[in-house]
Structures are given as structure tokens and as C-alpha cells.
Amino acid sequence: MNRCGTVLSRVANLKFGYLHDFSGEGQSPQTVYEGAGAFLACQAPAHYPALSYRWFVNDFPSFVKPDGGRWFVSQVTGNLYLAKAEPNDTASYFCFTTIDMDISTKSTFSKANQLTVQPDGTGSAPAIKVRFPAETYALAGHTTQLECFAYGNPIPKLRWRKVDGLLPSKAGASAEGPILTLPEMTFHDEGVYECEAYNSEGRDKHQGRINVQAQPEWLQVMSDSEVEISSELHWTCVAAGKPRPSIRWLRNGQPLSTQDRVEVNGGRLKVINLALEDSGMYQCVAENKHDTIYSNAELRVQVQAPDFRSNPVRRLVPAARGGQVMLECRPRAAPKPTLFWSRGTELLTNSSRVTVTPDGILWIHNISRADEGKYTCFAENYLGKANSTGHLSVRDATKITLAPSNADINQEENVTLQCHASHDPTMDLTFTWAHNGALLDLEDPAGPYHRKETIGDLLIVSGQLSQAGTYSCTAQTVVDSASASAKLVVRGPPGPPGGLVVKNVAETSAELRWSRGYDNHSPIGKYVIMGCSPLSSGWRTMRTEPSNIEGNAESARVVGLLPWMDYEFQVIASNILGSGEPSMSSHTVRTQQAAPTVAPSGLGGGGGDRNELIITWTPMAREYQNGDGFGYILAFRKRNTPTWVVERVSNVESSRYVYSNQSLSPYCPFEVKIKAYNRKGEGPFSQIALVHSAEEEPTVAPSRINATALTAFEMQVSWDPVQHLSANGILRGYEIRYWRQHEREAAADRVRTAGLETTARVAGLRPSTRYHVTVLAYNSAGTGPASPKSTVTTRRPPPNRPPGNVFWKTDGSWVTVRWDHVKALGNESAVLGYKVSGVCFEGEVCVCRWICVCHIENARSKCLKEC
């Protein structure tokens, strides 16, 4: 409040944050089967404002982690959800809540929630348990989150989509998580959103609508006004928002309504016959349920005798001969004064060349030299009188002497438009150019428009289609101006076609219709149709009928589409100057369903447990499914038998099938083939693949085992191989088991051979030790029976003392080395020889290395080596 009036501020609400403690009562223990889903309720205490929720296990701060999507903490309810329980989930769980109050935080946690997981769970299809509301109201410019979480075994995956359009890209990685996050909401984001949970057992969906609303926002506001007494005031306020804002008016903080001289009509305020007491501060208030906004303005009602001091008649008014001139008379006065003009002592009235308007403006037309002189405006109201005088000076008129000519160019070409003019030599002349009525900026050196020096010519650099139109040159002095215009035609690639619609959508084709776009002064030569689908990385050229679409066409058929696939299309026109911009994208269409046309790939299998036949394949990609209700048909039979066994697998993501039969022989060959099916029918069978049933352990042991000691630490084992027919599968190799005489066979060390070798060396043995050795055949199923054991004793160790008194001498290129013989002890093996090594140098450079082995028996020994 001040001497000008009173205004109201925005309403402020003050609330204190608080968070009570959890109740002292714990929840009942929960029991869940392994593989099933479960949830633990938080039951948060009273609080303000909103809480953030976490859970910890057994001890703080061991917080629950997402663990591949098994766990989810709802930030709406605070509940903890478990998609698939596992045995190690048995524990005590605590709900941990935190409140953020800007300058401080407060936290508290619940009593223990006991969860027990029992075994014997089974697989299950997804079931969505956390569902976002059917109607969600979001505020424009703010972030909105939707929660979705499902139980299931295997753990379900989640994906989001916008049912009535494309999912906003700003959703980012949240489009495949339990919380869809949409920042900076706009009205384009409004629509129906769907969360889908899926695993190998099935899928579940949930939909809900987001309605976007907005706080009030001013589109038009009032401004401070000074208005003369007894006149009228008109103010308008316009605000946008959703729901639509209501508007009310205040004067000096008090509500205004229609009465006496005041008329209030929504965002319009009208006050007639203004009086001094109407002066003050006015407020326009727009409000909806989201916010209230204010616009303020001051109204001053004036009372004043005529006064020219702040706005006198111009002292010198230049005018061009043959033209017209306007002289304004605008004194400050309230109420509005009576105005009239005189030239010298002559009172001016309306005539063929002179016009005096009611608001005091004097017009003189078809000016001549005789009109030069002094002109005086008189103003009068009941408070007084005043006048002001100006001098009219007549100058030569400005004329265009060289007008611009029409021009025709191709896109990217330069063109110059000429413009010359004559003018009064006592005045400065300037040139301006306008394009379709809009003034051009000729001072930007990086722009397309440039002024020629000293004259009015206009240079257009690298002309574009948008620069076609009418160019007007204006030669101007302070008293008059002259203009001339010319048209510029810019030829270029065609504009985008319009009205694109998709009709008659079939399994692999669709009909497109469009309307011709602007040809930009060069006939359209042909059209190209572009398309994109969820499987493509961008727009690509589509196959069409006809393959070449002529420029006079307005329809074509797109062929080679995938059945049961979403597509969007664009049309691009081209002429001899290039290809134009694409049309607006069509609405998304889905082709009709069709039976599969290709068989699954990667057919194979093998392995598994006893009496099983495992068949594997590569799941069919989305582009080959051709329809919903998709699955696989397997056919298999023992080789050289006539009857096929046929099985159906109804899950599109399946990649294996297990056939169990107690009569299955081990490693029995089967012929296998596979085909796909959907709601529309079945596809072709694949090529036949050969798959063997599960192997079993070999049934025969190797024979004629022979173990020979090579050194004190190594032995060699040999054996006769087993026949492949006895291997119950593919023989992978042999396993050698060996153990010391005083040890049990169960503690034997093991060495495996890779391949079909029948001899092997075993190292790392102990000297002078008796070993038992046995050999077993093995395949992928395991080892067969053990052979009869063989026995071997390793040799005694060599002496562990080096020779003594080593001496050497050189003789020319020979080196003679002598040493004392080493005598073996009773527990050591006899010395059979010595190995002597040496290095020869020239200066500091090594020129050779040598080794000599001497098999000698005398006590004094020598070794000679030529270097």
C-alpha cells in the first residue's frame, strides 16, 4: 500500500513438516513358496510432506537392491514387492522412511517383517501387482512417474508403450523398468500408456490414461494508464491454463463487480465516465486448482488545463512538393480540449486540400511552395487555453529513376535487384528493401541480403525457395519516400506432398494416396515412398508398384512388407533440381497377419539326463512371426523308422524341448525337423537335423594296463582302448587314477587325456614309492568302470650334491673341465654321467653357449669342448 493504492500479494501457505514413528505392533510373519511372488506392507506413519521409501534386510544399512528386477519398492505406498522368491530371501525386513525438509531430514523404520521361503516352487506367467491409476493427472512442465511391477517365474521383464502414439523419447531407459519417468510434461504427452510384463510362461498388461493439466499463464495483461476525467477505461486480461482459469478483478485490494459505471465481464473491465475517485491500483486475478496469478496496473484519472510544454507542435515540418503532410496537435489536457488550427490570422477549415480531424490533426494534400509558412494549433477546455506554432518548409519530391525488374533464378543462384532514385539535394537519401512487406536486415554480413555501395541495389546470395516473392525498394528522405516493386521467382525441388493416407492394408502391401505439393516452378518428375518400422534404424526406400512413380501420380502401392508389422510412410517428390522435403508421416498402420513363411534356424540339440532327447533351436525374431498366437511344431523320429512324433511348443521365446522316455537308448540318433505356426496357419518344415539322445557312461573298462617308472618323479601308463560301441556316446578320452599303496582308492589323484591316446605320462610322483594305477574311459555323461589295477614303484632319487673341486683350463679353442666324482648313497640312484655347460665371451660380448654330456665312470673326470 502507498499513495497510489493497494495491491494484494499471492496467498502463502505455511505448513510444518513432521514424521511420526511407526506403530509398535509388528506384522504377521509371511510364508511364500520358492518361485512365487510376495509383498510386505510398509504402513507408513503420519507424515508431511511426501516420504521416500527404502527397505533393509536384518541389519541397518543392508538395503534391498533390485537384483535383476526381483525386488521393487513402491514410492507411492512404500510396500516392498518380490517378483520371484528364492530360498536365501528368508529374513527379517524393515521399512525405512525418510522425509526431506530442505534444511534437514528425518528418518524412521518399522518393526521387523518376517518372510519365510519354502521350497518346491514352479514356473508361473506374469501377474501385474503394482498398477498405476486408470486416470493420472499430470502438471505441464513437471515430472510424472507411473509404477508397474509383476510377479512371475522366470522373473518378468517390463516394457512400456503409448497406446495412441509413440512413447516420448524422454522416457529413456525407464521405458524398460518398473517406473516410467516422463520429465517436463507437455500436452503432447497426454494419452493412454500401457505396461506389459512378459516371461517364457506368458504375459500380462495394464493400461491407464495420463491427463495433462497446466497452471494459469498470462497471455495478455493490462498496463499502467493515465486517462482523462469523464472518459472511458477498457482493460483486458487473458490467461491460459487447464482447467480453464477463472478471472476476477480487484481495486485497491477490494473485489470489483458490475455496478453503476463499472462493467466486469470475465477478463474484460470497463469503467465509463471516469471520476477522480476511480484512480488507484487494479489487479486482474486468474486462478485454477493448481495456482493463482496476479497482474497489477495503476489508473490515474487526470484533470488539467491545456498545456503544450511536454508535447509542442514541431517547430520545423519539412514536406515534399506534390505530396502531403501531417501536423499533430497533442496538448496535455483533461477533460479533452477543443482544438482548431490557423495559418497566420486565417482560421483553417476543411477544403479540397486541407483536412482538420476531430482529434486535432491537420492534413495538407498536394503541397506547393505557396503552402510554406507558420501554422498554429489552439486548445481550450473549461480550465483554460493554450497554443503552439510550427513552420512548414516545402522541398523537392523523391522519385524512383531506375525501378527493379522481375527476376527468375534457380535455387542457390545469386541475383541483383536494381533501384535508383532522385531527391532534394538538401536532404539525405536512404534505401530500404522489404520482402513480402517485411523489412530486410541489410547489415548482417552473414545474411543472404547485401546492399550495393552508394546505390540502392540489392544482392541476394544463394537464393532459397523461401526468398521468392515480392521485393519492394523504398527511397526515403525525412519528408517523403518513393517505392517500386518487382517479383522474384526461385525454382527448386518440389515442396512436400500433402494429405498422405494409407488404405487397403494387406499382409505384405498397402495403398498410399497423397495430394501434389507445390512444384516450385519446375514440374515434378517422380515420387519416392519411404517407410520405417520398429525393426528399422531409420527411414528407407520402399518397393512399390509401379516401381517408378511418375510425377503426375497421386497414389501407389507399397509391396514387400512384413505381415503383422507396424509401419509409417512418407512421400518425397523430386524434379530436375533435386528431391524436396518429405511429406508429413502417415499414421501408424499394421499389416494383416499371415502364416509363417520361413522355418526356425539353428536346429540341433543333444546332451541332457538319462532317457532324454533335448532339441534346441533359435527363437524366431519378431519380423518372421507374421501374426499372434505364435509357437513351434516339432517332429522327430528314430533314424530309419517311419513314424514321426509331433509336439507343439506354444511360447514364442522357447528355444528348447525335452522329450523323456524310459525306453530311449543312450546316444540314439534321431531325425528332427521344426516349423512355426500362428493364428493364420503353419509354415514350412526346416531341413532335417540329426540329434542324439543323452549319452550314458561307458560300460567297458580299458584292458592290459601297463605302468612303467621313467624317473623318480614320473611314470608312463599305457592300455588297450575300449570299443566305441561300448562308450554309450562319443568317447572323449581316458582318466588315469593313481594312489600310493597305503592310501585308499577314493583319495586317488586323477589325470585325463583329451582324445583317443592310449599312453600318457604322469608327473609329480614321489621317489621310491609304490603306486596303484587304474584307467577308465569317459564321455560327456561320466566315467565308465575302472580297469584292473596295475602296480609300479618309482625310482630312487638322484644324488642331491654337486660335483666338487671343479677346475678348468683353456688351450687355444678348447676348454678342459675337471671335477671330483659324486658317489651315490644307499637310498640314491647310481650316477650315470654329467652335464657340463659354459659360455664363451669376447671382451664383454657373449659369442657362444655350449653343453656337453659326459657318460663316464672313473672318479677323476674331464670334458673337452671346442669353442
Side-chain angles (χ1 to χ4, degrees):
M1 174 188 292
N2 61 19
R3 61 182 180 81
C4 297
T6 302
V7 294
L8 295 183
S9 70
R10 294 167 58 95
V11 176
N13 290 319
L14 176 62
K15 294 187 71 173
F16 293 96
Y18 63 91
L19 174 60
H20 293 170
D21 291 330
F22 279 88
S23 65
E25 300 178 1
Q27 298 187 30
S28 301
Q30 286 201 45
T31 301
V32 61
Y33 285 104
E34 180 182 356
F39 87 95
L40 300 174
C42 180
Q43 297 180 351
H47 61 274
Y48 178 83
L51 296 174
S52 61
Y53 298 91
R54 289 190 290 175
W55 287 71
F56 62 88
V57 187
N58 292 332
D59 297 302
F60 182 86
S62 178
F63 288 103
V64 172
K65 298 180 180 179
D67 189 16
R70 283 203 314 126
W71 296 96
F72 174 66
V73 178
S74 170
Q75 295 302 311
V76 176
T77 63
N79 297 340
L80 175 65
Y81 293 85
L82 176 59
K84 170 195 169 187
E86 296 179 354
N88 58 4
D89 293 329
T90 298
S92 296
Y93 293 83
F94 300 81
C95 180
F96 183 79
T97 60
T98 302
I99 188 171
D100 187 354
M101 294 180 285
D102 292 336
I103 60 173
S104 64
T105 59
K106 182 179 180 181
S107 302
T108 185
F109 59 88
S110 65
K111 296 292 185 179
N113 293 260
Q114 185 65 37
L115 178 67
T116 303
V117 180
Q118 294 187 354
D120 299 328
T122 59
S124 61
I128 295 178
K129 297 299 182 181
V130 179
R131 297 171 176 259
F132 54 95
E135 293 280 343
T136 299
Y137 290 91
L139 200 56
H142 291 240
T143 297
T144 294
Q145 293 184 325
L146 303 180
E147 293 188 345
C148 178
F149 191 73
Y151 297 169
N153 184 12
I155 300 170
K157 295 182 179 179
L158 298 171
R159 58 186 170 209
W160 295 81
R161 74 183 185 101
K162 191 167 185 273
V163 177
D164 46 3
L166 296 176
L167 187 69
S169 59
K170 59 189 174 185
S174 72
E176 296 182 355
I179 301 179
L180 178 67
T181 301
L182 299 174
E184 297 292 330
M185 290 292 291
T186 69
F187 289 106
H188 293 295
D189 300 327
E190 193 170 72
V192 178
Y193 288 77
E194 178 183 272
C195 168
E196 181 183 25
Y198 62 97
N199 64 11
S200 58
E201 301 295 324
R203 61 193 65 230
D204 192 13
K205 298 178 180 179
H206 173 66
Q207 293 183 354
R209 180 173 184 82
I210 294 181
N211 294 303
V212 179
Q213 299 192 339
Q215 298 169 321
E217 180 182 4
W218 289 120
L219 302 179
Q220 180 180 344
V221 295
M222 54 186 180
S223 59
D224 294 340
S225 298
E226 291 186 357
V227 185
E228 63 188 37
I229 194 167
S230 301
S231 62
E232 291 186 358
L233 171 70
H234 294 270
W235 268 336
T236 300
C237 286
V238 180
K242 188 177 181 183
R244 183 185 298 276
S246 62
I247 294 182
R248 54 191 175 90
W249 293 83
L250 304 173
R251 179 171 63 195
N252 292 326
Q254 299 301 315
L256 271 178
S257 59
T258 299
Q259 59 181 351
D260 299 333
R261 298 177 294 108
V262 178
E263 179 182 336
V264 176
N265 183 12
R268 290 183 172 85
L269 173 64
K270 177 181 178 182
V271 183
I272 62 173
N273 195 20
L274 284 165
L276 289 175
E277 60 267 23
D278 295 321
S279 297
M281 295 300 297
Y282 287 74
Q283 290 179 285
C284 180
V285 185
E287 56 191 343
N288 64 14
K289 65 180 181 180
H290 300 298
D291 200 5
T292 301
I293 57 177
Y294 294 78
S295 173
N296 307 330
E298 180 186 1
L299 171 64
R300 291 184 181 181
V301 179
Q302 293 182 324
V303 177
Q304 181 178 356
D307 187 352
F308 281 98
R309 284 177 297 179
S310 61
N311 192 20
V313 174
R314 288 173 59 192
R315 291 184 178 276
L316 178 63
V317 182
R321 188 167 55 189
Q324 63 181 16
V325 68
M326 178 186 71
L327 285 79
E328 290 186 297
C329 180
R330 298 192 182 279
R332 292 178 62 90
K336 187 175 181 179
T338 302
L339 301 173
F340 55 91
W341 284 87
S342 71
R343 181 185 178 195
T345 59
E346 177 188 0
L347 183 64
L348 297 179
T349 58
N350 290 339
S351 65
S352 59
R353 293 196 314 112
V354 177
T355 302
V356 180
T357 65
D359 56 354
I361 295 177
L362 171 63
W363 285 94
I364 304 175
H365 306 277
N366 193 18
I367 295 172
S368 67
R369 291 286 185 183
D371 294 320
E372 279 192 335
K374 292 184 177 181
Y375 291 80
T376 302
C377 176
F378 295 88
E380 179 180 356
N381 66 13
Y382 73 89
L383 295 173
K385 301 177 182 180
N387 63 75
S388 180
T389 300
H391 182 80
L392 177 63
S393 175
V394 179
R395 312 291 175 88
D396 289 336
T398 302
K399 295 180 181 180
I400 299 292
T401 57
L402 178 60
S405 301
N406 294 338
D408 189 328
I409 64 171
N410 290 335
Q411 191 174 10
E412 297 295 339
E413 292 182 349
N414 299 342
V415 64
T416 297
L417 301 180
Q418 295 180 308
C419 184
H420 300 178
S422 63
H423 66 292
D424 189 298
T426 64
M427 310 191 76
D428 292 331
L429 178 68
T430 59
F431 288 92
T432 59
W433 284 86
H435 175 220
N436 294 332
L439 196 63
L440 298 179
D441 179 8
L442 305 181
E443 307 303 327
D444 182 4
Y449 301 108
H450 301 275
R451 187 199 313 272
K452 287 292 188 73
E453 293 182 3
T454 71
I455 57 176
D457 294 354
L458 174 68
L459 172 63
I460 303 175
V461 178
S462 299
Q464 301 298 315
L465 295 173
S466 60
Q467 292 167 329
T470 300
Y471 284 82
S472 300
C473 167
T474 300
Q476 189 168 11
T477 66
V478 295
V479 298
D480 71 340
S481 62
S483 298
S485 300
K487 291 188 178 296
L488 174 65
V489 173
V490 181
R491 303 181 186 276
L500 178 61
V501 295
V502 185
K503 303 175 66 176
N504 302 325
V505 180
E507 296 170 351
T508 59
S509 64
E511 181 181 348
L512 270 62
R513 294 183 179 274
W514 62 88
S515 59
R516 292 168 57 85
Y518 188 48
D519 64 9
N520 289 325
H521 309 289
S522 181
I524 297 174
K526 67 175 183 178
Y527 290 95
V528 174
I529 295 178
M530 310 295 290
C532 72
S533 71
L535 303 177
S536 62
S537 58
W539 293 94
R540 61 184 181 90
T541 304
M542 309 301 291
R543 290 170 46 208
T544 60
E545 290 181 355
S547 56
N548 293 317
I549 308 172
E550 296 182 354
N552 58 358
E554 293 189 351
S555 66
R557 191 158 195 85
V558 181
V559 296
L561 303 178
L562 296 175
W564 198 54
M565 185 61 63
D566 293 337
Y567 287 95
E568 291 182 58
F569 300 101
Q570 292 178 341
V571 180
I572 299 176
S574 61
N575 58 21
I576 61 173
L577 297 175
S579 297
E581 293 293 320
S583 67
M584 294 284 289
S585 300
S586 69
H587 64 279
T588 302
V589 298
R590 175 170 289 184
T591 51
Q592 299 293 319
Q593 299 187 35
T597 56
V598 297
S601 62
L603 185 61
D609 296 332
R610 185 188 300 269
N611 305 125
E612 285 185 349
L613 171 66
I614 296 181
I615 303 171
T616 61
W617 63 91
T618 302
M620 293 277 277
R622 171 67 176 81
E623 58 262 40
Y624 302 118
Q625 295 174 17
N626 291 4
D628 57 4
F630 186 86
Y632 305 95
I633 296 176
L634 287 166
F636 52 91
R637 66 182 180 186
K638 288 185 180 180
R639 190 166 60 180
N640 301 325
T641 62
T643 305
W644 293 90
V645 177
V646 179
E647 297 289 348
R648 281 180 173 257
V649 180
S650 60
N651 189 348
V652 63
E653 297 179 1
S654 295
S655 60
R656 71 195 300 264
Y657 176 76
V658 180
Y659 173 69
S660 298
N661 192 315
Q662 295 299 320
S663 65
L664 279 182
S665 302
Y667 204 64
C668 179
F670 278 79
E671 294 178 330
V672 179
K673 57 184 179 179
I674 188 172
K675 64 181 177 180
Y677 73 89
N678 62 21
R679 192 182 304 278
K680 284 291 185 178
E682 300 175 0
F685 268 117
S686 67
Q687 295 289 326
I688 293 177
L690 191 65
V691 178
H692 287 80
S693 61
E695 300 181 22
E696 293 182 9
E697 300 88 345
T699 57
V700 176
S703 60
R704 298 179 63 184
I705 309 303
N706 182 36
T708 303
L710 299 179
T711 67
F713 311 103
E714 187 178 27
M715 67 177 170
Q716 179 171 292
V717 183
S718 62
W719 59 91
D720 286 349
V722 301
Q723 298 297 318
H724 280 275
L725 294 178
S726 304
N728 283 345
I730 298 177
L731 184 64
R732 307 292 182 184
Y734 296 90
E735 181 177 281
I736 301 170
R737 297 181 182 178
Y738 57 96
W739 63 98
R740 287 178 289 172
Q741 184 174 15
H742 64 277
E743 293 178 333
R744 299 174 58 187
E745 182 176 353
D749 292 318
R750 306 180 184 203
V751 174
R752 279 195 169 186
T753 68
L756 304 181
E757 297 289 336
T758 58
T759 61
R761 288 193 173 196
V762 178
L765 306 179
R766 296 186 180 185
S768 305
T769 303
R770 187 177 183 83
Y771 282 92
H772 298 300
V773 181
T774 186
V775 180
L776 307 84
Y778 73 90
N779 59 19
S780 63
T783 56
S787 69
K789 64 184 177 181
S790 176
T791 303
V792 63
T793 301
T794 54
R795 296 183 177 184
R796 288 179 293 175
N800 63 356
R801 300 172 302 286
N805 297 320
V806 177
F807 167 80
W808 70 91
K809 72 176 181 177
T810 59
D811 184 7
S813 61
W814 288 88
V815 178
T816 302
V817 184
R818 297 181 183 274
W819 61 89
D820 290 342
H821 184 60
V822 177
K823 184 176 181 180
L825 302 178
N827 63 343
E828 296 176 335
S829 59
V831 176
L832 300 179
Y834 298 89
K835 181 170 70 174
V836 182
S837 62
V839 179
C840 295
F841 286 89
E842 288 184 2
E844 296 183 356
V845 179
C846 174
V847 295
C848 70
R849 297 177 184 270
W850 53 267
I851 296 176
C852 109
V853 178
C854 306
H855 298 279
I856 51 179
E857 299 176 356
N858 55 341
R860 302 244 354 132
S861 307
K862 71 177 181 178
C863 180
L864 288 86
K865 181 70 177 180
E866 185 176 10
C867 187

